[in-house]
Structures are given as structure tokens and as C-alpha cells.
Amino acid sequence: MISPMQQVVIAMRRRESEAVITALQEAGVVHLRPIEGGPLRSDSAQEQTSEELKEAERLLARVESTIAELGARRPADLAQASVPPRAEWAERIEAVAVPVAELARERTEVQADVDAASAYAEPVSALAGLVGSLDRSRRVAVIPFVLHAETDLAQVQAALKEALQDRYELAVQNTNTGRVGAVATLVAERDLARSALGRLRLGELRVPGRFEGMPLEQAGAELGQIRGAGRDYLQKLNARRSALAEQHGHELFAMRDGLKDLVAVHDVRTASARGRYSLVMQGYVPTDRISALDAALKPYGDAAMYEVHDVDAHHDAAIPVELRNSGYVRPYQMVMGLMSPPKYGTFDPTWVMAYLMPFLFGLIIGDVGYGILFFLVGLWLKGKADRGESWTVPLMGTKLMPNVLKDIWSIIATMSFWTVLWGFLTGEFFGTWGEHLGLFYFNEDLINRMWGWTGLEFHAHHALSGLIPITFPRLETEYFSPIMLMIALLFGIIQVPWGWFIRIREGLKHGDQTHVWEGIALFGGVIALILMAFITRAASNFGLMFDWANPLVWLMWLGFAAFVVGYLRVIRAFPMLPVELISQGGAVLSYARIFAVGLVSAIMAKLVADLGWNLYESMGIIGAIIGLALAVLLTVLILALTLIGHILQPIRLQMVEFLNPTGYNAETSPAYNPLRRLSPEQGR
């Protein structure tokens, strides 16, 4: 649900403004909104504040660059850190920043030398043996180069001879990394030699960094020395860096947060209306936290006063949104965070996502074995979160913090529950392994009693005995596919009209007649299309549309009438509404992907299991080992290729097919982001 907000205006004496703003930071409840224009204006007294702000921003940039050079991570227990007095911040920051900057410079230089040695030590050493001290000569030019694997040495000699006649010497040597060569010629003809090599795509070898222009003998000796000892020295520098980060990290982060708080005070002043003696700011406060605002300002008496007003949800687009849901629903706010927050005063669909996303995911996968695997992965993530560890997602490089991992664990646990439950209904354990091992079996009488009302009769072709009867046999495609398809479409039949009903309700709430009639038109039209599909038996007999003895026919034509009336009311705003109606019919059919994607996943798992079992039956123990290895390999491959799609399908159905009709994606509000203190209170 969306927390109700109140608009607040706060006025304070200018000389107490820093203390009052700091108190508001401590309360952490006011979402500020800049004041633009108005009768109040800044004056020369602001100049002193600007100098203070410049110094605070300078120190903030200095401490942030120092933290970056140290590679320090924000400590989890920073709230308990001791912050030195503000007057000492500049001195303390410089005391750490100077040696850290020197260490960073040295690390950069050593890293560059190590990289150069890794790439150039061997070819330069070989070239130094070829050239000797010849490259020190003032009359002779030496041009070292590396030969490509496909380069013909005869072509090199021919190109040099054409350019220089006999006024050159060429030497080539093989190394572990390829062939290197050097051309010696007169200094005046250096460019001719370079051009000749260039025509064969052979460029002069240049060692980067401080080694450029250095004689090959000297460069080879230094690169060889760095190659042997450079990485050890770099490790020592990294150890010093880690030690400095451990020693000063807490204090640096605490001072950084303190400086951010100080800069925020100046930013608040900038966003406020300023007079010679007063400061006025405006913002929003959740209704249930006005008492916290009152407690923060009460100690200042007449120096700080505030007024609260009801927000104008119809016309004020700046009202922030805070989503406040139950413990079960709250983790799914992270999923909804893929999109902007809903407009204030409208529909919060997080609870719909929380209940339907894991349910549909379980329906798509529907496998006990996979559900157990997901649960074990969730437990592993939960363990990292409980230990306060983060996790970097492979390939994506995204770093997930412990609080995010806890939310992911909650989502995975629910998804695993539904996957296992649906797996018991479908009788799938890593495909059909459950059947082969006697865990699941087909009870024809039970299945026919459960699903016989559909007019279908089941004759199983699988195990007829075991521990647990299969009650949702989706792999029986010959019989069960129509039922499975209708179950999938049922979600669209409910959700798409529901979305347009929400559109009508929100339009009525905000007095928006255009959206009301748009919602009425498409709500009626979509229901009419759904009824038409049932009445005509999937378009097989359109004459049934005029069977007036059928009450569904009356409802269908009533729905089409609602569409026509609604369309005529909004034809200027939405002239293409008939096309949108067809699109919404497609949105209902889009839910068939629940059936299709789930069935494909189940068939692939069945093929893997049947392959492994057939190998066991035909080859005995050896076949069992081979079959099990193949099953594990193929199962991992199938999950890697399909799992992301199985997760995204339920999310897409909710965010697109369901939420588009509600207008959720069309109108948004800023997220609630209150002014709050970052740094601990000590030392202030």
C-alpha cells in the first residue's frame, strides 16, 4: 500500500538554521521539495555559507578519492564509529590522504612496470641479444619488430632490399612467444626501413611507459628484474594498502558521511526560500510520522515553526511515494523497483506480484527436484546475508548487498514452495525420474474422476503403481493440453479485465472522465471478446452469437455496447481504441505462455530423464553411471538456458498485460527520499 502523505511548510530563524536542519536530518522524515521563486531572496550573508560549502565539498572530494584509492569498503558497524570533532576533519583527512596518494602513485607505477614486463620482457631480452650495444650508436639506427606468424621472412628481406639495396642488416630469432627481428641501417635511412616494414604490416616495437627510448640491453635487464620480483613487490604494496584501509577505513567513512551531512545542510538552504533573517522550506511527511517532526522541532520553540496541509493528489505531481507492505509482500518491492513508483493516490500492485509471481513460476517449472535445488540456492544466499556478506552475480558483475540477499531469499523460498507443490501435482522429479523410481504413478480412475467433467478420458502410458498419484498430468499432452491451456488463459481472463476495472476506479477517484470512459469501453470490450470465444466455441460457429436463449450472449452484446458507448465518449482522445481492443484480446492470449513455456520445460526434463533411464536398462551399472552424468550435465544446461526466461515470464505478465490497463506505467511519482543523517552522532 502507499503511505498517506501530508504537505509541510517549515519556517526558521536563519541563525539557528544549521541546528534545525541537523535536527531534521536526525528525525529523517521530511521529503524536501525546492522552493522556486517567491517574495524571499538571498542576500550577502549567503557568501559566508558559500565559502563553508566550498570547503566542505573540497574535503568531501578529498576523502572520497582517498577511500577510492584505498579500495576500502563501508564497514557494517559504522553507526558505532567515533567521529573526530569537525575542527579536526581537514587535518585528519590530509594526514591519511597524503601517504595514501603516494602509495597509490607507487602502485600505479609498479603495476604498469609489471604489465610491461609480462608483455615485453621476453621479446626485448631476445632483441637485446641480437642487437647488443648497436642501438646506442649515433650513426646506426636499429628498428626492432615482432614478426607475425604468417609473415614470410623472404618477403621482409625483399622489401628491405628494394628500399635500402644492401645498406642494411637483418637478424631474426625465435622465442617462446614468437619470432622477433631487428633491422640495422644508417640513421638517415631509418624512415625508409620503417616504410618497408610497414608495407608488410610490421611496426616498430616500442616498449611503453618509462622504458620507451631506453637501450634494449638496459630495458631487457630491467624488465627481466621486474618480471622476477615485481609481482612480489606489488603484493607488498597491496598488503600496505589493505592495512591502511583497515586502520583508517572506519574514520574515513564516518568523516565522509559527516561531510555529506554538512553539504546536505547547505543544499537544503539552497532549495529553501531565504530572507535576511529567515529560512522557509517545504516538503512532505508521512501522516504517521508528523509526531517525529514535532519532536525534532519542539526544542527550538519559536525559532522553528511548521504547518501541515492535506496534499492535492489530483494536481500535485511532486508528492513522493512510500510503499509500505506486510513482511511477506515487502521483498517484492524490489521486483517492482524495476519500474518507477506508482502515482501517489493510485493502485499499488506489489501484493499482486507477491502472490502471483511465485505461484505462476511454480506452475511453469512444476518439478519437485528443481524446487529443492532452488531452495538450496536460496539457503546459500541466506547464509551469506546472515553473515553480512555481499555476493557478486557472475557474468553480470552486479554486487548484491546483504539486505538485498535477504529479500531474494524470501522470494526464492516462496518460489521453491510453489515449485515443489506443483511438482507433486504434476508428478515430476527432475522430469520423469520420479516415475522411473516409483515415487509417482498414474491412477487412471482418480484422474478421470478429477478431470472427467471436461469430457476427456485418460489412458496413461506410464507407471501405474507407486507412492504418490499424479493429479495434474501435463505431460499427457494428448489429453491434458487443452485443460492446461485453459488454466493458463484463465489468469488472463481474470487479470486483463481487472486491470481495466482498476482504470475505471482510479478515473472516478480523480475525476478523470476520459480515463473512466476509456476503462468502461475496454472493460466491456475485453469481456465481450472473452465471452464470444466461449460462445462460438473458439470461433467454430459464429451463429451461436445470436442464440438469445443463452444468457452469455446477452452479456456479450452488453459488453460490446459498453465498448461502443465508451469509444464514442473518448473518440477524440483515443481514436485508435478499436485497435487497442484487439491488442487487449492478444494480451489475454499472451497468458498461454504459462502453458507453452512450462510444457517445453517439462518435455525437455522428461527427455533427459528417459535418456538416462534407458541407458541404465540397456547397459546396467555402467549405463546408470553414464546416464546419471548425462542427466546432471543436461539438466544444468537446460536450467542455465531457460531459468531466466521462466522467472521473467510471470514478471512480464504482471507488469505488461495486467498493469498497462491500470495506467501504472503511464503516470508515476518520485520515491520518498527523506532528509536524513548519514553519520553517527558522536563527536558533533
Side-chain angles (χ1 to χ4, degrees):
M1 61 174 292
I2 299 175
S3 298
M5 291 281 173
Q6 294 279 296
Q7 190 170 18
V8 62
V9 178
I10 304 172
M12 66 194 75
R13 292 197 189 113
R14 186 157 189 146
R15 64 173 180 266
E16 281 95 0
S17 62
E18 181 173 344
V20 173
I21 296 172
T22 301
L24 293 174
Q25 287 178 320
E26 193 69 41
V29 296
V30 181
H31 176 103
L32 292 177
R33 176 183 176 183
I35 295 179
E36 299 175 355
L40 298 177
R41 63 180 187 273
S42 59
D43 56 21
S44 59
Q46 178 66 12
E47 294 179 4
Q48 181 180 359
T49 302
S50 296
E51 292 302 320
E52 292 175 359
L53 177 58
K54 289 178 182 179
E55 176 64 12
E57 289 177 336
R58 183 191 71 80
L59 290 176
L60 179 59
R62 184 68 162 158
V63 74
E64 286 188 329
S65 65
T66 303
I67 289 172
E69 288 170 345
L70 282 176
R73 294 184 178 181
R74 183 181 179 86
D77 58 343
L78 190 61
Q80 307 300 324
S82 176
V83 184
R86 185 184 300 175
E88 300 178 10
W89 285 0
E91 181 181 353
R92 300 286 281 269
I93 291 172
E94 286 300 317
V96 179
V98 171
V100 168
E102 179 62 26
L103 177 62
R105 182 194 61 77
E106 187 175 3
R107 283 184 67 254
T108 301
E109 292 176 354
V110 173
Q111 183 67 63
D113 286 353
V114 169
D115 293 341
S118 177
Y120 294 96
E122 187 164 344
V124 169
S125 178
L127 287 167
L130 287 176
V131 173
S133 60
L134 189 61
D135 61 340
R136 300 175 186 267
S137 172
R138 296 181 179 179
R139 305 171 105 186
V140 176
V142 176
I143 305 172
F145 59 92
V146 177
L147 281 84
H148 306 303
E150 68 276 8
T151 303
D152 185 355
L153 188 59
Q155 292 180 334
V156 178
Q157 291 175 328
L160 291 171
K161 189 171 184 63
E162 180 182 354
L164 301 171
Q165 300 302 321
D166 293 325
R167 299 184 302 278
Y168 76 93
E169 288 292 337
L170 173 65
V172 176
Q173 182 174 327
N174 292 324
T175 70
N176 293 331
T177 58
R179 291 182 297 169
V180 296
V183 175
T185 187
L186 298 174
V187 171
E189 296 183 321
R190 176 190 288 125
D191 290 340
L192 291 175
R194 287 173 174 167
S195 297
L197 293 174
R199 287 195 292 272
L200 298 174
R201 296 186 297 111
L202 298 175
E204 182 177 359
L205 177 67
R206 295 181 181 274
V207 185
R210 64 185 181 88
F211 303 100
E212 186 173 4
M214 190 180 291
L216 289 172
E217 280 187 334
Q218 181 182 351
E222 292 195 22
L223 287 170
Q225 184 179 2
I226 292 169
R227 191 179 186 185
R231 293 195 179 278
D232 291 339
Y233 186 54
L234 186 60
Q235 288 180 356
K236 291 180 181 178
L237 293 178
N238 287 335
R240 281 175 53 195
R241 179 176 179 242
S242 299
L244 287 172
E246 180 69 23
Q247 180 181 356
H248 300 290
H250 280 72
E251 185 174 89
L252 288 174
F253 275 101
M255 288 189 291
R256 185 195 71 171
D257 288 351
L259 286 165
K260 283 188 173 182
D261 288 340
L262 184 58
V263 169
V265 170
H266 293 284
D267 290 342
V268 170
R269 288 172 173 164
T270 302
S272 306
R274 300 179 300 277
R276 183 177 297 275
Y277 304 110
S278 62
L279 202 69
V280 179
M281 63 181 69
Q282 66 176 355
Y284 304 91
V285 181
T287 302
D288 61 348
R289 294 176 211 167
I290 292 177
S291 58
L293 173 64
D294 184 73
L297 298 181
K298 192 172 183 179
Y300 298 95
D302 294 339
M305 297 178 290
Y306 72 94
E307 286 186 357
V308 294
H309 309 275
D310 292 335
V311 296
D312 184 358
H314 304 302
H315 303 99
D316 189 350
I319 305 172
V321 166
E322 180 190 35
L323 300 181
R324 189 179 303 175
N325 291 293
S326 64
Y328 169 76
V329 175
R330 187 193 54 77
Y332 292 87
Q333 293 177 187
M334 175 181 62
V335 180
M336 298 306 298
L338 296 172
M339 306 177 74
S340 299
K343 184 174 175 58
Y344 180 82
T346 60
F347 173 65
D348 174 21
T350 309
W351 66 273
V352 180
M353 180 70 74
Y355 287 103
L356 278 183
M357 175 199 158
F359 180 85
L360 294 178
F361 175 83
L363 175 58
I364 290 173
I365 300 293
D367 190 294
V368 175
Y370 290 161
I372 294 173
L373 279 182
F374 301 151
F375 186 76
L376 292 176
V377 171
L379 280 178
W380 177 71
L381 294 176
K382 179 179 182 295
K384 295 184 77 68
D386 291 342
R387 294 189 298 271
E389 300 175 3
S390 60
W391 180 56
T392 301
V393 182
L395 301 180
M396 299 176 63
T398 303
K399 186 177 181 180
L400 304 178
M401 302 308 291
N403 59 323
V404 177
L405 293 180
K406 288 182 180 179
D407 288 344
I408 293 176
W409 149 248
S410 298
I411 296 173
I412 289 178
T414 310
M415 293 166 63
S416 301
F417 167 78
W418 284 114
T419 302
V420 171
L421 180 59
W422 277 108
F424 276 108
L425 298 177
T426 60
E428 295 174 28
F429 179 81
F430 294 115
T432 53
W433 281 107
E435 290 182 48
H436 293 308
L437 297 173
L439 177 62
F440 297 107
Y441 75 101
F442 278 85
N443 184 323
E444 291 185 7
D445 293 336
L446 175 63
I447 293 176
N448 281 313
R449 285 198 304 271
M450 291 184 63
W451 301 104
W453 59 273
T454 63
L456 299 176
E457 184 177 353
F458 293 86
H459 300 285
H461 305 291
H462 301 279
L464 299 177
S465 62
L467 295 176
I468 304 172
I470 297 171
T471 56
F472 197 79
R474 65 174 175 177
L475 285 172
E476 292 290 308
T477 55
E478 182 179 355
Y479 305 101
F480 204 72
S481 288
I483 298 175
M484 181 65 184
L485 177 60
M486 284 308 304
I487 291 174
L489 290 177
L490 183 62
F491 291 98
I493 291 171
I494 294 173
Q495 280 204 287
V496 175
W498 181 19
W500 287 110
F501 176 77
I502 293 172
R503 185 72 155 182
I504 297 170
R505 187 191 68 185
E506 295 300 322
L508 290 171
K509 183 193 299 184
H510 295 281
D512 189 336
Q513 293 299 310
T514 300
H515 284 159
V516 169
W517 286 107
E518 178 199 15
I520 289 174
L522 288 172
F523 177 77
V526 170
I527 290 180
L529 288 178
I530 294 169
L531 290 173
M532 186 175 72
F534 278 102
I535 292 168
T536 62
R537 298 171 185 173
S540 63
N541 186 353
F542 284 101
L544 296 174
M545 292 175 60
F546 303 97
D547 180 9
W548 302 108
N550 186 350
L552 294 180
V553 172
W554 289 94
L555 287 176
M556 178 192 71
W557 287 110
L558 181 62
F560 281 131
F563 173 76
V564 172
V565 172
Y567 178 50
L568 293 176
R569 295 296 299 266
V570 298
I571 191 169
R572 291 185 178 180
F574 302 106
M576 302 301 292
L577 209 60
V579 177
E580 179 64 22
L581 176 60
I582 298 173
S583 174
Q584 290 303 301
V588 175
L589 294 177
S590 183
Y591 281 77
R593 68 186 66 224
I594 299 172
F595 155 73
V597 173
L599 184 59
V600 169
S601 174
I603 290 175
M604 293 174 68
K606 176 183 183 300
L607 292 175
V608 170
D610 290 349
L611 172 64
W613 189 260
N614 289 338
L615 286 172
Y616 162 67
E617 289 184 329
S618 61
M619 301 174 62
I621 298 299
I622 295 177
I625 295 173
I626 297 174
L628 183 61
L630 281 174
V632 171
L633 177 63
L634 292 174
T635 297
V636 171
L637 181 62
I638 290 171
L639 280 177
L641 293 175
T642 63
L643 182 59
I644 293 179
H646 295 340
I647 295 173
L648 291 180
Q649 292 299 342
I651 295 176
R652 181 194 179 280
L653 290 172
Q654 302 309 305
M655 288 192 169
V656 179
E657 272 70 18
F658 172 56
L659 290 184
N660 272 350
T662 70
Y664 179 90
N665 300 322
E667 298 179 297
T668 64
S669 289
Y672 173 63
N673 183 26
L675 176 70
R676 55 165 59 96
R677 171 185 282 182
L678 297 176
S679 60
E681 190 173 357
Q682 296 95 322
R684 286 185 177 273

